[in-house]
Amino acid sequence: MSEREQEPVEQMYKDAVHWHVNTGGETIHAKRMPGRFRSYKWYASVLWVLYLLTPYMRWDGHQAILFNIPERQFHLFSITLWPQDIWMLSLVLILLAMTLFGVTAVAGRVWCGYFCFQTVWTDWFTWIEDKIEGNPVQRRKLDEAPWSARKLRLKLLKHAIWLLMAVITGITFAAYFTDAFELWQRYLTLDAPPVAWVVLAAFVFGTYVFAGFMREQVCFWLCPYARIQSVMVDKDTVLPTYDEMRGEPRGKAKDKGNGDCIDCRLCVGVCPTGVDIREGMQEGCITCGMCIDACNSVMDKLDRPRGLIRYASRKEMAGEVLPPLFRRPRVITYCTIFLLAVSGIVYGMTHIPPIELSIVHERQPLYIQMSNGDIQNRYTVKALNKTPATLHMQVSLSGATGLAIVDGGQEIVLEPGKMIPAHLFLVAHPGALTAKKVTVNFVLESVESPHIRMEYESVFMAPGGR
């Protein structure tokens, strides 16, 4: 390792000596302060509010978003995805992964700080706790106080609301996989299937325990993303950073020779994981920016410039110039893969065929020679109707000479969402065949909707065509 590469590693170990990691022995009661980044957290929570509301939205007479696993249909508003379209799911997963990697490379654990399920629900739970039990000082005193009627009343009210939120969370998740209103009715009448009760129990337990009790411990010990963040972060990544040159030495504001940091520890008091950002970037930092809001409020009161704690990169703090995003190889790579995934998803969504068609040539036998000398081939037609209406499909041949469908053609009835195999027979006189293996195009055209037209290429086998 070169001397330049070794420097940040040595600095990391130097900072780690002063790190304090809460291993669960204390409950962190973070102070809630208004500010720009606190507002960002509330805005990000709106996405999860949509999660709670979306299953109850209706679209064209059905649930707007429904993952109907028994019938193998995913309804996304006016789009219905089938198992044959599952390749788009892989692109969605790639898109989400590249978004996560790219954002982390640019601005650290933004997902953890603003959008993560654990972060948002913990924030909601502690907000309820703050409204019922008071500010952090009052909550600590209440925890340490002996049990009384007041303490019992406050604790019961808080935990009842927590459990209600956990129940709503679990039922909402289950509602994505079945009709939401029917599900509520079946839960309320105790008529829900066992799998619904298992899902509800798992979500109630997980939400109540993780968001109500474990909180930052989930980020420290259970979340795999927290363990690999160092791989995604480099010296160009902007993170909440304490300006040591400006802030040190710490001390009272009235004392000359001290830096801008007055050692009020408000940045620690607002941190949901109990991190002291002044000791360097730590495993527990979820880059939520609460420490920035807290420090800026203190700087405003002292009439000093904001930014003692700010989003900055290691290069910026070392006096180097931060390169633009389009010159950072990792960001370029992530963005390129992201755009390719988006393009694939858009293409797939806009080119979903109304019918999924497959025509399989019978292999045993490949052909039959009739008593009059004609050659006959058998085919199995498998057509899945992805539309909500019944379709009557007329089968014909395109561009084939010397070939004919037995009985002149056939009508296939396709019911919505069902695949019923049908059989076709093609015949040809040996003298009309120009080769032992002839390409044939089948055409399926809807009687009701002529614009629904599918073609499928197959082959016609003659003697010696193996």
Side-chain angles (χ1 to χ4, degrees), residues 86-350:
I86 202 66
W87 60 271
M88 280 188 280
L89 175 61
S90 61
L91 293 181
V92 171
L93 296 177
I94 293 173
L95 182 149
L96 294 176
M98 291 303 105
T99 302
L100 190 65
F101 296 165
V103 171
T104 303
V106 173
R109 295 169 63 183
V110 175
W111 163 260
C112 295
Y114 295 94
F115 303 102
C116 174
F117 173 94
Q118 173 67 17
T119 298
V120 173
W121 259 253
T122 298
D123 201 49
W124 289 349
F125 273 43
T126 54
W127 181 80
I128 295 295
E129 188 176 56
D130 189 81
K131 293 300 180 183
I132 295 175
E133 297 183 358
N135 60 42
V137 176
Q138 294 171 326
R139 297 203 296 270
R140 292 190 186 95
K141 289 183 178 179
L142 185 65
D143 290 342
E144 297 170 359
W147 283 98
S148 62
R150 176 179 177 275
K151 181 175 180 178
L152 181 62
R153 175 173 55 83
L154 294 177
K155 293 292 185 181
L156 284 176
L157 177 60
K158 179 185 74 174
H159 286 280
I161 296 177
W162 282 2
L163 283 170
L164 177 61
M165 294 175 64
V167 169
I168 293 175
T169 300
I171 294 178
T172 300
F173 178 82
Y176 278 92
F177 298 89
T178 187
D179 185 85
F181 298 104
E182 180 183 346
L183 179 66
W184 271 97
Q185 180 183 4
R186 299 191 69 176
Y187 272 128
L188 294 175
T189 57
L190 304 181
D191 188 39
V195 66
W197 291 111
V198 171
V199 170
L200 179 59
F203 266 81
V204 169
F205 177 81
T207 304
Y208 179 65
V209 173
F210 287 176
F213 296 93
M214 295 188 67
R215 300 182 183 179
E216 79 287 344
Q217 298 301 303
V218 175
C219 303
F220 277 119
W221 314 117
L222 298 182
C223 178
Y225 178 49
R227 320 305 295 181
I228 62 174
Q229 63 161 330
S230 58
V231 179
M232 306 179 190
V233 172
D234 55 27
K235 292 193 292 183
D236 295 327
T237 306
V238 292
L239 303 165
T241 306
Y242 169 66
D243 191 341
E244 188 174 348
M245 297 295 294
R246 174 184 159 186
E248 301 295 327
R250 308 169 194 171
K252 296 181 179 180
K254 61 182 180 180
D255 295 341
K256 294 184 178 180
N258 286 339
D260 283 350
C261 179
I262 61 174
D263 204 18
C264 64
R265 293 184 61 82
L266 189 58
C267 57
V268 182
V270 300
C271 180
T273 60
V275 165
D276 189 344
I277 194 64
R278 298 173 299 173
E279 304 301 339
M281 176 51 57
Q282 303 175 38
E283 177 190 5
C285 179
I286 58 175
T287 67
C288 62
M290 298 298 100
C291 54
I292 300 177
D293 284 340
C295 188
N296 284 343
S297 69
V298 174
M299 293 298 104
D300 290 343
K301 293 177 181 178
L302 298 176
D303 197 24
R304 295 180 181 178
R306 290 186 166 198
L308 177 60
I309 301 176
R310 62 184 184 274
Y311 266 94
S313 66
R314 285 185 189 173
K315 281 189 176 180
E316 181 182 346
M317 299 306 294
E320 301 180 37
V321 178
L322 185 66
L325 294 179
F326 62 84
R327 294 185 60 184
R328 294 171 59 178
R330 292 175 63 185
V331 176
I332 294 173
T333 302
Y334 294 146
C335 289
T336 301
I337 300 175
F338 174 89
L339 292 175
L340 290 175
V342 170
S343 301
I345 294 171
V346 171
Y347 176 84
M349 289 290 190
T350 55

Side-chain angles (χ1 to χ4, degrees), residues 12-25:
M12 180 184 69
Y13 284 113
K14 180 181 176 182
D15 293 338
V17 175
H18 306 283
W19 290 358
H20 168 68
V21 177
N22 176 24
T23 56

Side-chain angles (χ1 to χ4, degrees), residues 380-453:
T380 301
V381 180
K382 296 180 179 180
L384 173 64
N385 181 8
K386 295 183 177 181
T387 69
T390 301
L391 297 177
H392 296 79
M393 308 299 297
Q394 190 69 39
V395 184
S396 60
L397 301 178
S398 173
T401 57
L403 298 175
I405 301 176
V406 174
D407 298 331
Q410 183 174 344
E411 184 180 274
I412 300 176
V413 180
L414 300 179
E415 297 182 11
K418 294 185 178 180
M419 178 186 290
I420 302 176
H423 299 288
L424 289 177
F425 296 90
L426 297 188
V427 294
H429 190 274
L433 296 175
T434 58
K436 298 176 181 179
K437 185 177 180 180
V438 179
T439 301
V440 57
N441 289 317
F442 289 92
V443 177
L444 269 73
E445 189 171 8
S446 172
V447 176
E448 298 87 359
S449 305
H451 67 278
I452 299 180
R453 186 177 185 272

